[in-house]
Amino acid sequence: MTTIKHHISDEILTGYAAGVLPEAFDLAVATHLSLCDECRARAMALEAVGGAVLEETETAEMAPGALDAVLARVAGTAPEAPPAAQPGTVRRKDSVLPMPLAEYAGGSLDKVAWRSVGGGVMQAVVARGDDGATARLLYIPGGTEVPDHSHHGLEMTLVLDGAFCDRGQRYGRGDVQIADETVDHTPVAEPGAACICLAVTEGRLKFSGLLPRLAQPFLRI
Amino acid sequence: MNLAPAMDKSVSEDEWVSCLWRIRTAADQEAFARLFRHFAPRVKAFLMRGGADAALAEECAQDVMATLWQKAHLFDPEKASAATWIFTIARNRRIDAARRSKRPEPEDLPWGPEPEPDAADAIGLQQESARLVKALAELPEAQRHLIERCYFGDMSHREIAAETGLPLGTIKSRIRLALERLRHEMK
Ligand SMILES: [Zn+2]
């Protein structure tokens, strides 16, 4: 956990806490948070801002009888019992794919429906929303250039296995590279074992144009 | 237990924590009613500000409050205030309604849920959250609206971008403190 050097940006993490990201980006953030306590704590602090907003917001009167309706709905059922505590265990079923990603990818790495895209590189789309934002798994043999999956807009690449290097930086398991079309980059998988990563791109609907400006002025944590 | 509604605003975070605890341990309907009267109208307004019409917001707010009853055991006062926890339920309900799929969530922390909250840690986090609410309330209006819109999911107001360079020192330092506390909790 301590080896992660490249984290989620404030802009994207604020968008995740606020719940305004496309699903594909939510998936990448949830996957990183599963590997990174640092960003998990940051996300929880940003959720606390959401709590403060809820507390401070105006109110809208509930329908007459709403309380009774909800009580009638739940009163027959006792609140769920807490699950038995399992200290020290991670229920991860797959050593490469953290759970949120495994759920999107068929359960485990060996279930992924890879498609060859040439040069030994394979890919599998795991999430594509109506907004066009897409999350795909990439399998890049050691020493091979990571194919350019960006069209335009924001892209996020999260390493799950192996490593790639780009512009003098090394990205290993858990590291995130965030780039847009203004960044000229050519990530190359490290020689040796293949690099497996999750690459997320924006679709036709750009949220990134608005999001950084939304977040930038206030949440630099 | 018989606080007048007018005093509701000053109810401390620990009161909400104890209401949730009573729901969890004793299926306490009166505790639920107190939480409902305070939070349901806020959740409904929150959803309407994000673009839901009144009928959908009412339905979703009732769902959120039902979830609060059913999932009270998931509330952890060492990691979130009641308002923060309810915000995350409302946010997730909004996403479910828009996507018809569950929001991807991180894995559970490996050390799992604790049977009993540590009182001192919980009080610290609750106090931090209360100060964050106060810091937000004291921001200049334009700035507060900027933050609210981001969290409401109200992304249609491009003029938000024009609001820059306002002093946000207090809220930033409050978030930083909340963050330090959470980091400490996770050690
Ligand atoms: Zn991180």
Side-chain angles (χ1 to χ4, degrees):
Chain A
M1 290 245 177
T2 52
T3 56
I4 296 177
K5 288 196 293 287
H6 304 277
H7 296 274
I8 309 274
S9 66
D10 290 332
E11 291 75 17
I12 292 180
L13 206 57
T14 304
Y16 179 77
V20 297
L21 297 185
E23 184 176 12
F25 283 84
D26 272 352
L27 175 60
V29 175
T31 304
H32 178 80
L33 264 48
S34 299
L35 300 170
C36 180
D37 286 350
E38 176 75 23
C39 288
R40 191 194 286 259
R42 287 168 65 215
M44 289 167 75
L46 291 168
E47 284 177 343
V49 179
V53 167
L54 182 68
E55 187 61 59
E56 264 308 295
T57 196
E58 74 248 51
T59 57
E61 204 181 333
M62 293 294 286
L67 170 60
D68 291 339
V70 176
L71 268 175
R73 184 166 140 197
V74 299
T77 60
E80 290 174 21
Q86 313 167 291
T89 59
V90 183
R91 292 172 299 137
R92 191 176 296 157
K93 297 174 204 113
D94 190 281
S95 61
V96 173
L97 307 183
M99 288 222 296
L101 180 54
E103 281 169 18
Y104 274 79
S108 58
L109 194 58
D110 54 0
K111 300 264 173 39
V112 172
W114 295 107
R115 286 183 46 193
S116 173
V117 290
V121 177
M122 298 188 291
Q123 74 159 28
V125 171
V126 292
R128 176 177 281 146
D130 295 339
D131 46 37
T134 303
R136 66 193 83 213
L137 280 164
L138 292 174
Y139 175 99
I140 305 123
T144 306
E145 209 172 282
V146 179
D148 183 11
H149 49 262
S150 85
H151 308 288
H152 3 253
L154 194 69
E155 64 174 81
M156 211 171 131
T157 311
L158 167 65
V159 178
L160 298 159
D161 202 16
F164 68 76
C165 295
D166 193 16
R167 294 149 62 100
Q169 298 279 331
R170 180 182 188 274
Y171 296 81
R173 178 166 169 83
D175 281 324
V176 177
Q177 187 183 46
I178 295 169
D180 61 25
E181 68 273 18
T182 66
V183 180
D184 180 27
H185 66 129
T186 24
V188 178
E190 243 177 24
C195 176
I196 296 172
C197 47
L198 180 70
V200 181
T201 51
E202 275 190 290
R204 305 171 311 282
L205 296 173
K206 297 282 175 288
F207 73 96
S208 59
L210 184 57
L211 188 66
R213 286 179 294 163
L214 268 173
Q216 243 161 23
F218 65 98
L219 301 173
R220 180 72 45 197
I221 51 170
Chain B
M1 213 50 267
N2 288 317
L3 289 176
M7 287 180 65
D8 242 19
K9 262 245 156 207
S10 64
V11 169
S12 66
E13 304 291 332
D14 337 343
E15 177 61 21
W16 301 136
V17 171
S18 109
C19 283
L20 282 163
W21 185 252
R22 294 207 300 278
I23 293 171
R24 167 182 173 165
T25 54
D28 184 329
Q29 295 196 12
E30 195 183 342
F32 181 76
R34 283 178 57 71
L35 283 162
F36 188 99
R37 281 192 283 270
H38 183 78
F39 284 108
R42 284 174 170 76
V43 170
K44 184 173 177 181
F46 167 81
L47 294 166
M48 289 174 74
R49 288 291 302 270
D53 64 30
L56 180 63
E58 172 78 28
E59 181 194 328
C60 291
Q62 291 193 19
D63 290 348
V64 168
M65 298 314 288
T67 303
L68 179 151
W69 172 277
Q70 286 150 351
K71 303 282 181 190
H73 67 276
L74 294 178
F75 172 67
D76 181 347
E78 289 175 54
K79 297 194 187 61
S81 69
T84 297
W85 185 59
I86 294 167
F87 159 74
T88 63
I89 298 173
R91 173 200 66 192
N92 293 356
R93 185 67 188 80
R94 188 183 72 205
I95 292 172
D96 292 349
R99 279 184 201 155
R100 291 182 205 85
S101 65
K102 263 187 72 197
R103 176 181 197 258
E105 293 286 344
E107 286 173 4
D108 292 340
L109 284 166
W111 26 266
E114 289 168 58
E116 294 258 355
D118 180 301
D121 288 343
I123 289 166
L125 195 276
Q126 298 305 317
Q127 286 171 345
E128 213 52 76
S129 302
R131 292 190 194 110
L132 189 58
V133 174
K134 194 161 173 286
L136 182 69
E138 285 168 1
L139 283 178
E141 200 185 358
Q143 224 169 331
R144 200 177 70 241
H145 284 171
L146 175 81
I147 294 175
E148 285 174 355
R149 280 178 182 175
C150 179
Y151 280 85
F152 288 145
D154 177 1
M155 301 291 282
S156 61
H157 297 265
R158 290 199 162 250
E159 73 272 23
I160 292 169
E163 312 283 351
T164 53
L166 292 158
L168 281 155
T170 329
I171 195 154
K172 276 198 266 187
S173 62
R174 293 263 64 105
I175 295 172
R176 217 169 280 127
L177 282 167
L179 177 56
E180 270 153 31
R181 186 168 288 282
L182 285 161
R183 278 190 186 125
H184 173 76
E185 292 305 313
M186 289 188 173
K187 289 235 164 77

